[in-house]
Amino acid sequence: MKRLYIPVAIISIFILICVSCYYDNEEALYPKIETTCDTTNVTYSGTIVTMMNNNCYSCHSNKTAADNGNNLRLENYSDVVFSSAKITTSIKHTGSTSPMPKNSSKIKSCYITQWDIWVRNGMINN
């Protein structure tokens, strides 16, 4: 039994040394929090398309909508305008539409604010 103590002790020390040498950089531990939200220059091409690309196209692009997005395509201006009421209630998680993104929390509040501004300004294709 005494012979087993020394190998177990050596292995335990080795494991402790290997596990305790964890390194993570500052950017990964403390990501920069974006605190600005541009609400002065909200455009379809510069703002809404970016929001859709980051949150919607994985299911609602022309390629994926039939299989993953309940056949709701949001890849062009006319489709987005046509579905704007559904999009509004979906991204705000209100109303009778399914909350989007599916099985996820709300999109960034900045995106919701920008969406509301774009809709309020007449959904201009700019």
Side-chain angles (χ1 to χ4, degrees), residues 38-52:
D38 182 9
T39 58
T40 58
N41 189 25
V42 177
T43 63
Y44 175 75
S45 61
T47 310
I48 303 304
V49 170
T50 300
M51 178 191 81
M52 294 288 179

Side-chain angles (χ1 to χ4, degrees), residues 46-96:
T47 310
I48 303 304
V49 170
T50 300
M51 178 191 81
M52 294 288 179
N53 188 40
N54 291 339
N55 299 286
C56 307
Y57 290 162
S58 61
C59 295
H60 296 287
S61 71
N62 292 339
K63 292 180 181 179
T64 61
D67 296 330
N68 301 324
N70 199 23
N71 214 26
L72 178 64
R73 289 170 169 78
L74 300 175
E75 205 168 322
N76 65 51
Y77 172 78
S78 60
D79 290 338
V80 172
V81 170
F82 180 77
S83 301
S84 62
K86 287 181 183 179
I87 295 169
T88 299
T89 57
S90 291
I91 64 174
K92 291 183 176 184
H93 293 195
T94 60
S96 61

